[in-house]
């Protein structure tokens, strides 16, 4: 995903949510609908989330420092994780509480036409925001299905906006359902049920976001097809015979670290090895432009060592030598 596409979707979502939040709070003031209050808080939380993602994108552009030699690309993941927390606590838990209170202590809805009119307007605005994010995501997801895209995306902004807007549209329908039935039956319990459903929906979306951004924060490898392109670029069957083993790690959505041990001919001289490494780095960056940090270790291939496999003590996440805790 291009950063420009994500920013465009975020700005569209922020503009829509700010307008929607104001209209929902006005409708709540005139009607007393708990669904409108929950939806107003939901839109306010979404607006704050878009600001968080914009701030994270800006901070991620800072130059690397001696203390942070690989830069600040993961700031975007940190702020996306904060979004899931805000959505869960401010949006979801508040709506669940408000829905429970309205079911326990229902009251008649006043001026029902206010919330209905606002909800119809909000659906139109949210649809515009959703379509903007959808068009940008279509360019990015390629042939993958939508669930796979949400799981595989390395840039968090578009998946977050897509999930938020999807949740917002479903939430608006639920609110319209609750308000409509309350207006028809005169029973405020339906308004509370709609509010409760909105809260559960937001909590589910927040948990999905938390799981996905947690994986990004821990550090994900490149997509398998990208790993294949890197392997193909490394081996030229002249100065590099094969890849003995390789690791990739996303330092940010558009920054990839590549570390590999490569087999060079046994009779290579030091200048030839240095030239082979330089040429291999050029080939990698040509094949995968986001490969910003590349570490290549030359070695002589040994079938015996290859059959034995990697040393578990030298593998990240493996056992600690000496049994230390």
């Amino acid at each position: 995903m291009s950063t420009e596409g994500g920013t465009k979707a975020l700005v569209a979502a922020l503009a829509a949510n700010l307008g929607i939040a104001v209209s929902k709070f006005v409708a709540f003031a005139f009607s007393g609908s708990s669904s409108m209050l929950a939806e107003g808080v939901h839109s306010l939380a979404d607006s704050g989330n878009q600001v968080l993602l914009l701030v994270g994108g800006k901070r991620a552009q800072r130059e690397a420092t001696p203390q942070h030699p690989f830069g600040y690309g993961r700031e975007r993941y940190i702020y996306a994780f904060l979004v899931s927390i805000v959505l869960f606590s401010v949006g979801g838990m508040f709506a669940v509480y408000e829905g429970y209170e309205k079911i326990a202590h229902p009251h008649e809805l006043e001026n029902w036409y206010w919330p209905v009119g606002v909800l119809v307007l909000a659906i139109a605005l949210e649809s515009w925001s959703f379509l903007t994010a959808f068009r940008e995501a279509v360019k990015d997801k390629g042939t993958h299905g939508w669930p796979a895209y949400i799981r595989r995306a390395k840039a968090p902004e578009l998946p977050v906006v897509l999930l938020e807007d999807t949740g917002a549209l479903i939430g608006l329908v639920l609110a319209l359902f609750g308000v409509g039935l309350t207006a028809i039956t005169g029973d405020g319990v339906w308004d509370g049920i709609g509010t409760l459903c909105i809260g559960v929906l937001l909590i589910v979306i927040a948990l999905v976001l938390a799981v996905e951004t947690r994986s990004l924060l821990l550090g994900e490898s490149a997509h398998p097809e990208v790993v294949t392109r890197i392997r193909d670029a490394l081996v030229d069957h002249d100065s590099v015979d094969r890849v003995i083993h390789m690791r990739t790690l996303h330092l940010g959505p558009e920054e990839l670290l590549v570390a590999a041990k490569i087999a060079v001919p046994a009779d290579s001289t030091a200048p030839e090895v240095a030239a082979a490494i330089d040429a291999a780095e050029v080939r990698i960056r040509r094949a995968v432009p986001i490969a910003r940090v590349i570490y290549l270790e030359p070695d002589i291939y040994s079938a015996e060592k290859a059959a034995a496999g990697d040393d578990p003590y030298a593998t990240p996440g493996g056992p600690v030598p000496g049994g230390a805790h």
Side-chain angles (χ1 to χ4, degrees), residues 268-291:
S268 298
T269 64
E272 288 172 340
V273 170
I277 291 174
D278 290 343
E281 290 179 353
V282 171
R283 293 195 301 271
I284 292 172
R285 291 195 170 95
R286 188 182 300 125
V288 181
I290 66 169

Side-chain angles (χ1 to χ4, degrees), residues 24-43:
K24 286 175 180 176
F25 283 125
V26 170
F28 164 70
F30 280 96
S31 67
S33 168
S34 65
S35 291
M36 294 309 303
L37 177 60
E39 275 296 303
V41 173
H42 176 192
S43 294

Side-chain angles (χ1 to χ4, degrees), residues 4 75 82 86 120 213 234:
E4 181 181 352
E75 287 261 22
L82 290 176
V86 171
V120 171
T213 51
L234 272 170

Side-chain angles (χ1 to χ4, degrees), residues 30-320:
F30 280 96
S31 67
S33 168
S34 65
S35 291
M36 294 309 303
L37 177 60
E39 275 296 303
V41 173
H42 176 192
S43 294
L44 200 61
D46 281 353
S47 300
N49 290 340
Q50 273 102 53
V51 171
L52 282 173
L53 291 172
L54 288 169
V55 170
K58 184 68 175 178
R59 290 179 62 84
Q61 297 173 9
R62 290 178 293 168
E63 295 291 333
T65 64
Q67 188 177 6
H68 298 280
F70 293 114
Y72 293 85
R74 289 194 184 181
E75 287 261 22
R76 290 165 70 178
Y77 301 152
I78 293 171
Y79 279 82
F81 190 76
L82 290 176
V83 164
S84 68
I85 296 173
V86 171
L87 198 61
F88 178 87
S89 57
V90 178
M93 295 305 293
F94 176 83
V96 167
Y97 169 77
E98 192 65 26
Y100 169 78
E101 283 293 312
K102 191 60 178 286
I103 293 172
H105 308 96
H107 61 79
E108 188 176 350
L109 191 67
E110 302 174 1
N111 302 320
W112 61 267
Y113 44 84
W114 271 96
V116 170
V118 166
L119 286 170
V120 171
L121 173 64
I123 288 173
L125 289 174
E126 282 289 359
S127 297
W128 167 68
S129 172
F130 175 81
L131 287 174
T132 302
F134 180 82
R135 292 191 192 101
E136 296 299 328
V138 165
K139 303 174 188 176
D140 187 49
K141 82 178 188 71
T143 58
H144 301 294
W146 288 107
Y149 171 65
I150 297 297
R151 289 194 305 269
R152 292 164 53 92
K154 304 303 182 186
E157 290 84 0
L158 272 180
V160 168
V161 174
L162 276 174
L163 286 172
E164 280 188 349
D165 285 352
T166 301
L169 285 171
I170 297 173
L172 289 169
V173 172
L174 291 172
L176 193 58
F177 167 82
V179 169
L181 285 179
T182 298
I184 293 170
T185 64
D187 187 352
V189 169
W190 290 109
D191 191 26
I193 292 174
T195 307
L196 190 63
C197 291
I198 292 168
V200 173
L201 172 69
L202 293 180
I203 289 172
V204 170
I205 291 176
L207 292 175
V208 172
L209 282 177
V211 169
E212 294 306 316
T213 51
R214 171 184 173 274
S215 179
L216 292 169
L217 278 171
L218 287 173
E220 290 189 355
S221 64
H223 294 316
E225 57 267 28
V226 174
V227 173
T228 299
R229 291 209 306 269
I230 294 172
R231 285 183 176 276
D232 292 343
L234 272 170
V235 179
D236 64 355
H237 299 291
D238 181 19
S239 58
V240 178
D241 297 330
R242 67 172 68 210
V243 177
I244 298 174
H245 63 73
M246 183 174 72
R247 301 284 188 274
T248 61
L249 179 69
H250 268 274
L251 302 173
E254 287 94 29
E255 295 177 289
L256 187 65
L257 181 148
V258 178
K261 180 177 284 191
I262 55 176
V264 298
D267 58 353
S268 298
T269 64
E272 288 172 340
V273 170
I277 291 174
D278 290 343
E281 290 179 353
V282 171
R283 293 195 301 271
I284 292 172
R285 291 195 170 95
R286 188 182 300 125
V288 181
I290 66 169
R292 304 287 182 86
V293 183
I294 302 173
Y295 296 113
L296 300 179
E297 178 186 351
D299 202 349
I300 307 300
Y301 177 73
S302 167
E304 182 181 351
K305 289 182 179 179
D310 291 341
D311 179 3
Y313 291 104
T315 302
V320 178

